[in-house]
Amino acid sequence: MQIPKIKKLINEISSKNDFLEKIILNKNDLSFEVYYYRGICNIDFFNEHYFNKITKTNYHSLDDFFPGSIKVFDKIDLSIIKYQLSKGNIIFSVNERFNYFVELSKLSDIKTQPSHIDPTNVFESKNDLTDNAIDNVALLTKRLKNEDLVIKHTIIGNKSKSDCYILYLDLFKNEDYVKEIKESVYCLNKDYYLNVNDLANDISPDTLVPLSFFTSHPGTICSNIINGKVAILLDNSPIALILPTTLSNFSSVKNEINTPKYFSFLNKVFVSIFLVISVFLLGFFISIINYHTSFLSPVFIANIQSTERGTSFPIFIEILIILFLYEFYRYATSRSPQNYIQSIVIFFGSLVVGQNAIQSGTIGSLVMMVTSLSYLSSFAVTTNTYLITSMNIARFIILLFSYLLGLTGFIASSILVLLYLRSQKTFKESYLAPFSPVNFKNIFNFLFPVRKDQRT
């Protein structure tokens, strides 16, 4: 009955998966060994409807006594054992002679949160993570069903005693960043960890750019795990922390590995263009207008002069006013959870305030267009509010230096911003990877995504 073999395989799974439960007990003069994934299978149903009915007279033919429910293994190997466990099935042996599995998944009973993804997109998951970490691990295990998936459990918070799960593939276990992330989590020493953000603040340095990527979408989490990332789940927190983090994480398309290559390539190109426009356009514009008008054609200069005729402020002040108004709209809508309120604020704010500002001579139309293009481009790059704020800070620094020193200030401040971004690392992963340090093979994989475990 291959009892030694199945025990060896179970021990191999248990060595890298803290989610596996093992129960050894004696009842009705029989010895049982029961294995299952915590939170995935319905162990109470097994105890009530199966376990109490197993006796010395029927234990050797339970597949006949419970037809269709309890089955005998036809073949035993690591992938089959892992597959049965990840489906929520229970594996058990009786008297170290007979191996059975019973299908008792409770995955369909897990109450997930409705997804914020477009419901018309049939390729996306319709459920997001919940407040229960065990259920979240179950959702991810159901999707991956990978024998290389490693699930490590620890408890953090001296007083909160929060369950924390670290997920990654065994293929990457020897990577330095995986070891460093695990060590950082295990060394956490604070009284309370109430959500993943508390954990991220302690293991990631405090910088002007976000070094932690959060998501509640199971498909995104699984894609990142497959690509060598580490996912961290915390009880009572419906989001996952993905590490290490790079700038490209915040602009990635969900399930982009399975999108057409041309779509992925164009998406990366346009996002890169919008990033440059968002951060650098205003600084370049103000430096040319103020110091280097000789670079412009007479017709273009005449158009600028006509749009600025009668305005009350210098171009630099006009830009600051527009940026302030946009920030006002953003903060006003962020306080309004209902979509219709956000639409009202944006529509009337842009229509009434913006149009009146141009007509009253406070702001020139060309300055309004260029500034709007720069500001709105940041939302085409990412929806992460922390990164958008970081882009606003970088934009203002470049704008200020360009206003004071012209093209010299623009070039110097741009280099300063790029050097700062290059200096940022999350667990030895460059924030500007794969562009810094330059790696043409990784740049190709960035433009045409391929799963990390499939790269040559």
Side-chain angles (χ1 to χ4, degrees), residues 304-315 317-319 321-322 325 352-368:
I304 294 175
Q305 290 174 345
S306 65
T307 59
E308 289 298 311
R309 185 177 295 116
T311 55
S312 307
F313 302 102
I315 292 178
I317 301 300
E318 292 180 27
I319 292 175
I321 292 174
I322 299 171
L325 289 175
V352 176
V353 179
Q355 187 65 27
N356 287 341
I358 294 175
Q359 292 179 351
S360 65
T362 305
I363 299 169
S365 58
L366 178 63
V367 175
M368 172 66 82

Side-chain angles (χ1 to χ4, degrees), residues 2 41 46 67 71 74 82 87 152 176 218 229 247-248 254 273 303 311-312 321 323 329 339 383 429 437:
Q2 297 181 308
C41 83
F46 173 76
K71 302 176 183 178
D74 295 326
K82 185 66 184 290
K87 283 183 62 178
K152 293 297 181 181
D176 291 337
K229 304 286 187 178
L247 183 59
S248 61
K254 293 177 176 60
I273 293 173
N303 288 333
T311 55
S312 307
I321 292 174
L323 292 177
Y329 299 148
N339 289 333
T383 57
E429 180 85 6

Side-chain angles (χ1 to χ4, degrees), residues 77 114 141 279 339 374 407:
D77 60 36
T141 305
V279 177
N339 289 333
S374 175
L407 272 179

Side-chain angles (χ1 to χ4, degrees), residues 204-205 207 209-213 242-245 250 424-426 431:
S204 297
T207 66
V209 291
L211 298 181
S212 302
F213 178 64
I242 306 297
L243 294 171
T245 303
F250 298 99
Q424 301 304 307
K425 292 185 178 181
T426 54
Y431 196 64

Side-chain angles (χ1 to χ4, degrees), residues 245-288:
T245 303
T246 62
L247 183 59
S248 61
N249 280 123
F250 298 99
S251 61
S252 60
V253 177
K254 293 177 176 60
N255 202 31
E256 70 176 359
I257 290 177
N258 298 318
T259 58
K261 298 300 181 184
Y262 71 87
F263 176 85
S264 176
F265 173 76
L266 290 177
N267 174 70
K268 300 291 187 183
V269 170
F270 280 120
V271 166
S272 300
I273 293 173
F274 294 141
L275 178 61
V276 172
I277 291 175
S278 176
V279 177
F280 300 102
L281 176 63
L282 280 183
F284 183 75
F285 175 75
I286 197 71
S287 65
I288 294 296

Side-chain angles (χ1 to χ4, degrees), residues 23 35 52 70 96 120 272 300 353 377 379 385 391-392 439:
I23 299 176
Y35 310 96
N52 292 327
I70 295 181
E96 297 191 351
T120 61
S272 300
F300 190 78
V353 179
S377 292
F379 295 91
T385 55
M391 293 166 67
N392 291 342
N439 186 313

Side-chain angles (χ1 to χ4, degrees), residues 59-101:
Y59 78 92
H60 56 279
S61 57
L62 293 179
D63 52 329
D64 294 328
F65 193 79
F66 298 99
S69 298
I70 295 181
K71 302 176 183 178
V72 180
F73 280 103
D74 295 326
K75 180 183 177 182
I76 296 178
D77 60 36
L78 184 62
S79 60
I80 291 177
I81 298 294
K82 185 66 184 290
Y83 175 75
Q84 294 297 341
L85 291 172
S86 62
K87 283 183 62 178
N89 296 340
I90 294 176
I91 297 175
F92 68 97
S93 63
V94 186
N95 279 2
E96 297 191 351
R97 292 183 57 199
F98 296 91
N99 292 315
Y100 300 98
F101 69 92

